[in-house]
Amino acid sequence: MIVDSAIYRDGRRTEGPTDLSDALDEARAADAGDAFLWVGLHEPTEKEFSRVSSEFGLHPLAVEDALRAHQRPKLEVYDDSLFVVIKPVVYEPESDTVSADELMVFIGDSFVVTVRHGESAPLAAVRRRLEAEPEVLRHGPTAVLYAVSDAIVDHYIDVGAELQVDLEELETQVFAPSGTGNSTNSAARIYTFKRQVLEFRRATGPLSSPMTRLASAGVPFVHEHAQPFFRDVSDHLTRVNEQVEGLDRLLSDILSAHLAQMGVRQNDDMRKISAWAAMAAVPTMVAGVYGMNFDHMPELHWPWTYPAVIALMGFAVFGLHRLFKRRGWL
């Protein structure tokens, strides 16, 4: 459905004709100056979008991508328009999950068409901010693309900071001393967190190439003086990607360290079990010897045999306990 549609003339919003064809003709009129038409859609149906695509002459392949969604961030140049896909990201602190939606931006001669899939794209806030800054809107459709990409990349930075905080908490829990709340489910939590970082990475990583192209000269339908602004967005995105790479490496290191820690704990447990088994084996062996029904065992008829054997087993177990304790097995 069409969420909003307006003509921007000299950086200020003006209500134009409701018919898209008439509105586009008005924006392209010779006396319109730098006017352009901005149409915003939210999860349009094929029938709804076909009318928009026919009016603006959008390429069929780009229209197909905009309807189906599930696209990687990309930049494609067609004869009559520029097509950009960006994936806004939402972080839910209650469930510690990262989810990505999709935003498609078409830029052409005196028009901008934005197609939003999901609820996370900050288009309403971007539109309000741009309408409060007419000097930015005077640069035409390029200003819309810059403002949208800048808002989404800035939100990437916020999401990365929240993930960093959660990673530090996870690291504290994983390496907490035994018996102070360290859960046996640490490996599952690390793996789940790694999946969230991967989802974040799918949104930020592929966007680097489109932002680099927009920051360079020669991209059609992009204002010639917009390169420094897109370069700033690209720099922010590079910082986000470096942060994501760092999070992924730290998670891999934490998982490896946790598995090594579990191995050390299992070895400690095995040593303790072996030590107790050795201490139990000595009296069992002695008792087994005296449990055999042999006639020629002279100790059986000595009056101090029983207390002597009990004392022997006690001293043997005590000696083994001291030995294992000194070696750190107990």
Side-chain angles (χ1 to χ4, degrees):
M1 58 177 294
I2 296 179
V3 178
D4 199 355
S5 176
I7 296 176
Y8 293 88
R9 183 179 288 106
D10 196 27
R12 300 189 182 277
R13 180 183 180 120
T14 60
E15 298 301 329
T18 56
D19 184 76
L20 294 180
S21 179
D22 294 339
L24 184 59
D25 291 340
E26 182 176 328
R28 288 175 173 174
D31 58 346
D34 293 331
F36 68 94
L37 174 64
W38 183 358
V39 179
L41 300 98
H42 178 235
E43 297 181 356
T45 63
E46 184 175 353
K47 182 178 180 181
E48 291 172 339
F49 199 58
S50 62
R51 184 169 66 92
V52 176
S53 61
S54 61
E55 294 292 348
F56 292 97
L58 305 180
H59 196 278
L61 293 178
V63 171
E64 182 181 357
D65 291 343
L67 287 173
R68 292 186 177 181
H70 304 293
Q71 303 294 319
R72 298 175 74 251
K74 61 181 179 179
L75 168 65
E76 294 182 351
V77 179
Y78 297 101
D79 294 337
D80 298 323
S81 63
L82 185 71
F83 179 57
V84 182
V85 179
I86 308 176
K87 296 180 77 70
V89 169
V90 176
Y91 177 71
E92 297 293 342
E94 295 81 8
S95 57
D96 294 337
T97 57
V98 174
S99 59
D101 295 328
E102 290 188 34
L103 176 64
M104 288 78 170
V105 182
F106 294 87
I107 292 181
D109 180 18
S110 301
F111 73 85
V112 178
V113 177
T114 54
V115 183
R116 178 166 55 96
H117 291 270
E119 302 297 332
S120 63
L123 284 185
V126 170
R127 191 186 284 261
R128 288 193 300 269
R129 191 183 74 185
L130 283 174
E131 290 176 354
E133 300 176 352
E135 66 279 1
V136 178
L137 272 176
R138 288 192 183 97
H139 292 88
T142 305
V144 177
L145 178 59
Y146 161 72
V148 169
S149 58
D150 183 60
I152 292 175
V153 171
D154 284 347
H155 189 62
Y156 286 165
I157 297 175
D158 297 336
V159 173
E162 292 177 348
L163 289 175
Q164 183 67 43
V165 172
D166 286 348
L167 178 62
E168 293 173 358
E169 294 177 357
L170 177 62
E171 188 176 15
T172 301
Q173 294 173 4
V174 169
F175 295 108
S178 179
T180 60
N182 189 25
S183 172
T184 56
N185 202 29
S186 296
R189 295 205 313 274
I190 296 171
Y191 180 76
T192 302
F193 197 97
K194 199 172 180 67
R195 287 292 298 266
Q196 306 310 315
V197 173
L198 178 61
E199 183 70 18
F200 189 30
R201 192 176 189 174
R202 287 172 178 168
T204 63
L207 188 58
S208 296
S209 178
M211 288 297 109
T212 301
R213 289 180 62 188
L214 289 171
S216 60
V219 180
F221 308 107
V222 176
H223 198 280
E224 58 182 359
H225 299 302
Q227 282 78 27
F229 299 96
F230 284 110
R231 194 176 304 121
D232 181 67
V233 176
S234 181
D235 290 342
H236 291 174
L237 183 61
T238 300
R239 188 174 72 180
V240 171
N241 284 326
E242 290 175 352
Q243 186 177 21
V244 173
E245 290 287 343
L247 289 173
D248 188 59
R249 285 196 301 268
L250 278 174
L251 281 170
S252 299
D253 293 342
I254 291 174
L255 181 59
S256 300
H258 172 68
L259 295 177
Q261 188 181 52
M262 292 297 295
V264 171
R265 289 177 181 173
Q266 289 176 353
N267 289 337
D268 289 341
D269 292 340
M270 288 302 299
R271 287 192 299 178
K272 291 178 181 179
I273 294 171
S274 300
W276 286 110
M279 288 187 290
V282 172
T284 301
M285 181 186 66
V286 175
V289 170
Y290 280 92
M292 294 185 291
N293 297 322
F294 292 140
D295 292 333
H296 301 288
M297 294 181 69
E299 310 90 49
L300 296 178
H301 304 288
W302 294 350
W304 298 102
T305 298
Y306 179 75
V309 170
I310 295 297
L312 174 63
M313 290 190 292
F315 281 120
V317 172
F318 178 75
L320 288 173
H321 185 275
R322 290 291 301 274
L323 176 64
F324 292 142
K325 193 77 173 177
R326 191 181 303 117
R327 293 186 176 182
W329 285 35
L330 293 175

